[in-house]
Amino acid sequence: MAKSWTDDAPQPVALQDHTHVNDPLSYKVKRFFLGGALNRHSLGHQRLKKRFALGILSSDCISSSAYGSEQILIALLPAFGLAAFAILMPMTAIVLAILIVITLSYRNVIDVYTKTGGAYIVSRDNFGPVVAQIAAVALMLDYIVTLAIQAAAGVAAIISTFPAAEPWKMHMIFAVIVLLTYGNLRGVKEAGKAFAFPTYFFVGCMFIVFGMGLYRLANGTLPVLDTDLPGAVPLGEAQGLLTFSAIFILLRAFANGGSSLTGLEAISDGVALFKAPEHVNAKRTLVIMSTLLGILVLGVSYFAHHIHAMPYESGVPTVISQIAKAAVGTGAFGTFMFIMVQLATMLILFAGANTTYSAFPLLVNFVAADGYLPRQLTKRGHRLAFSNGILLLAGGGIFLVVITAGSVEHLVAFYALGVFTGFTLAGFGMTRYFQRTKPKGWKIKVVINGLAGSISLIIVIIFSVVKFTQGAWLVLVTAPILVATLLRLRRQYTREQEALSVKTEAERATSIARHDVTIFIDSVDIATVGAVRYARSLRPHKIKAVHFVIDDRRAEAIQAAWAKSEALEDVQLDLIDCPDRRIANSALDYAIRKTEKSDVELTILLPRRSYSRFLGRLLHDQTAEEIAAPISQLRRVVATIVPFDVNRIISGSTSTPKSSVETPVIEHEKDKSKPTQEAPQVFAPVTHHAEDVTPIEKIEWRKRSKVHGRVTSISTAPRGSAPMLQVEIWDQTGGITLNFLGRREIAGLEVGMEMRAEGMVGEEDGQLTILNPSYELLV
């Protein structure tokens, strides 16, 4: 190509986009439902403000107040009768005291782990990987149970308002999980905005209920409900509190009440979702969340105690719906408020289920990044969410709903054990951290975290005993199996990494003395000729063609056709007997013989003809893949499949990319219709500053221009050559290459980010370039 404008060469042009592979139907469906793919550099814009973070991360914890007190009564009423309402308040006080201790413990976690924390990270850093997997399994099980129980409780709120909907209970639970999954696959920001409102709506409605309830209690109009109604939990006889059976029932009730504290860890697990400064915003949100939870749990228990709200065996009407009805009355405003409270309860419970879609994918991402879960769980999907983690969570939640028939009472049996195991490990892990590092005020922090870990451990033991027959046994049996599985996956990943690691002797062996190429053929056609052409481009020591004979007549025909072809006259053809017709075995034997010498490397080319998807599989075999698989296991042997699209020729289509602009062609005779380089009449001063950004398509050769685009590729010269960095940027009109001589990197430059550059426009190989431009990285 001519290198100067004095040679009448074609005018240099900007880089132009070409045609792309047509999107498959699956991608079109994904794009239709989820929207366009998000660039990973917009991930920072997916961070949450505190008001949205409170909605998306706190809703699980706050929504627990809707059923925590009810679960305590379910355990107490059959054993203690009406005395259960008197026991409810002291037990609620104990739950709130534990809430305060664990909140202070997790504030310390967020203080230290300012980007991401939680029981898994704390356990990994302070106890090692084995203990960390115990935390991982416990939290993963807890999040799956949380999704199932919150969805089921939200549907129970609907049925409490509209009892006729009970036959559709399972369908509604499945629909809720599917809709939550869909919303989160679209991206965490959209899901957070959608679920911020229910948190505030629920808190506001409950404060109105509490206010009206206190007013009616003060003037003596707050009703006391009848406790002898059909369907209600049966009342037992009052008994002493110091008998063994009574203590057991009290512990079971306390374990049920512990479900009110689930979700406290979600904020420490999701610190990375907050806007900067992440840890400061996370701590403030944690305190607000715990305060709201404490007020709501205390309020529900207080009014349940006063009005004798009875839980029902079917789960509906719920205790919280009875409190709302008693507090707001039965008038027009009362009916309206009752419906609003039930709507808010439903929404907050669904929002609580949504919280797991933030915490669970982040957790499994950390575990998978450490090598204890499949690496697919670390990949962000179409909308920058951890799609595989979201789908795994949804599948687990649906499975639990099916085996428990959507019963909140049965799901509680699986609940809290996992999360309190996480509380235990987080508390003891931070205790060990502070004892080791001894920061300012470490003694107080050791006391707080040690107390939180000890209390949580006691609750885990209590829960394991009193809930063992109700479903805790399944968690206690499943968890060790899952921990062993995670450790087994890690050992497998470690072996694979060791096998692929570059040893010192392998690093030095950058070349080999002799490289031969063999082409396995089954016919003489254009695909074979294309494979031979590719073999020549490899510049081997020797090229051979091999046909394994399983049909003598076919072998003779191939030999005759080979001898007649001028394109193949310089390539030796070997016919090798294959008496048992097992071509893969014969190919393997051939490769072993040809690489007996340690200085020989063999490349085997396998022409593969691609036909139509259905008829191609029906009419043709897939021998190339069967041969390549065993050969690829040999050292110093590379099996390469050379594809050839027969279906494209039959259909008459072409895969040649078409540029959006005509590529100039050099001809011996000057064609006046072609754009050619002409000597500029007035040269732009080199020091002139380009004021405005020019679309890349409009920039002109040998004139100073300022361009703005997205970095699509970064190329660095090899270490053994002169330093040079090439950066390709594109806007909507085209692309241009920026050449930086004398350097190998630009601090902060990444593929995908936006960049602005200014300099003199030159050309290289017919394409416009800017040499050593001034630049600005746009974050």
Side-chain angles (χ1 to χ4, degrees), residues 635-713:
R635 296 184 60 186
R636 294 179 286 107
V637 179
V638 178
T640 302
I641 294 176
V642 184
F644 189 85
D645 193 347
V646 179
N647 190 54
R648 174 178 59 84
I649 298 177
I650 295 173
S651 62
S653 62
T654 177
S655 60
T656 304
K658 296 180 180 179
S659 175
S660 57
V661 297
E662 290 290 336
T663 302
V665 179
I666 301 176
E667 299 180 357
H668 294 293
E669 295 183 6
K670 185 177 178 180
D671 187 348
K672 298 297 183 180
S673 65
K674 300 289 185 181
T676 57
Q677 300 179 14
E678 297 179 358
Q681 299 300 315
V682 179
F683 288 90
V686 174
T687 57
H688 182 264
H689 177 69
E691 294 291 342
D692 300 321
V693 173
T694 305
I696 292 178
E697 185 183 42
K698 302 295 185 182
I699 61 176
E700 298 182 34
W701 177 64
R702 291 188 64 85
K703 290 189 177 181
R704 194 170 184 86
S705 297
K706 180 188 290 186
V707 294
H708 180 149
R710 186 173 298 278
V711 178
T712 59
S713 72

Side-chain angles (χ1 to χ4, degrees), residues 80-254:
F80 298 102
L82 292 178
F85 292 108
I87 302 171
L88 176 60
M89 290 310 295
M91 192 159 287
T92 300
I94 296 174
V95 171
L96 295 181
I98 297 173
L99 169 64
I100 294 172
V101 173
I102 294 178
T103 299
L104 293 175
S105 174
Y106 270 97
R107 284 188 86 254
N108 291 339
V109 171
I110 296 172
D111 255 335
V112 174
Y113 295 90
T114 57
K115 294 299 180 183
T116 184
Y120 176 75
I121 303 296
V122 174
S123 301
R124 185 191 65 187
D125 292 354
N126 295 286
F127 293 125
V130 176
V131 177
Q133 301 325 303
I134 298 175
V137 168
L139 290 176
M140 285 190 290
L141 291 175
D142 175 69
Y143 289 139
I144 293 173
V145 175
T146 298
L147 171 62
I149 198 171
Q150 298 283 70
V155 170
I158 298 175
I159 297 174
S160 294
T161 310
F162 306 103
E166 187 162 6
W168 300 94
K169 173 182 174 180
M170 295 295 289
H171 301 83
M172 289 191 288
I173 295 175
F174 293 148
V176 168
I177 294 177
V178 169
L179 288 175
L180 291 176
T181 302
Y182 171 71
N184 282 274
L185 287 174
R186 286 190 61 89
V188 67
K189 186 175 182 180
E190 286 83 349
K193 285 186 174 181
F195 287 98
F197 168 74
T199 300
Y200 301 118
F201 184 40
F202 175 74
V203 172
C205 286
M206 291 308 299
F207 281 2
I208 293 174
V209 169
F210 293 162
M212 295 184 67
L214 290 174
Y215 173 77
R216 298 191 68 181
L217 182 64
N219 62 23
T221 58
L222 185 67
V224 176
L225 304 181
D226 189 356
T227 58
D228 188 18
L229 292 174
V233 172
L235 286 173
E237 297 295 331
Q239 58 175 301
L241 298 178
L242 298 180
T243 65
F244 177 80
S245 60
I247 293 173
F248 186 84
I249 296 299
L250 289 172
L251 291 176
R252 177 176 290 178
F254 172 69

Side-chain angles (χ1 to χ4, degrees), residues 35 436 441 459 481 522 541 581 589 675 680 689 695 734:
R436 186 176 70 249
I459 295 173
I481 296 174
D522 191 44
H541 178 266
R581 294 169 300 283
D589 291 339
H689 177 69

Side-chain angles (χ1 to χ4, degrees), residues 145 230 271 332 364 413 435 450 454 488 545 569 605 651 681 696 701 726:
V145 175
V271 175
V364 296
Q435 287 176 333
S454 301
R488 173 69 178 80
E569 61 183 4
L605 301 183
S651 62
Q681 299 300 315
I696 292 178
W701 177 64
Q726 289 187 322

Side-chain angles (χ1 to χ4, degrees), residues 728-745:
E728 194 173 292
I729 67 171
W730 286 72
D731 63 10
Q732 293 84 353
T733 64
I736 190 170
T737 303
L738 312 178
N739 288 327
F740 296 90
L741 302 182
R743 63 193 309 175
R744 298 186 186 276
E745 63 178 358

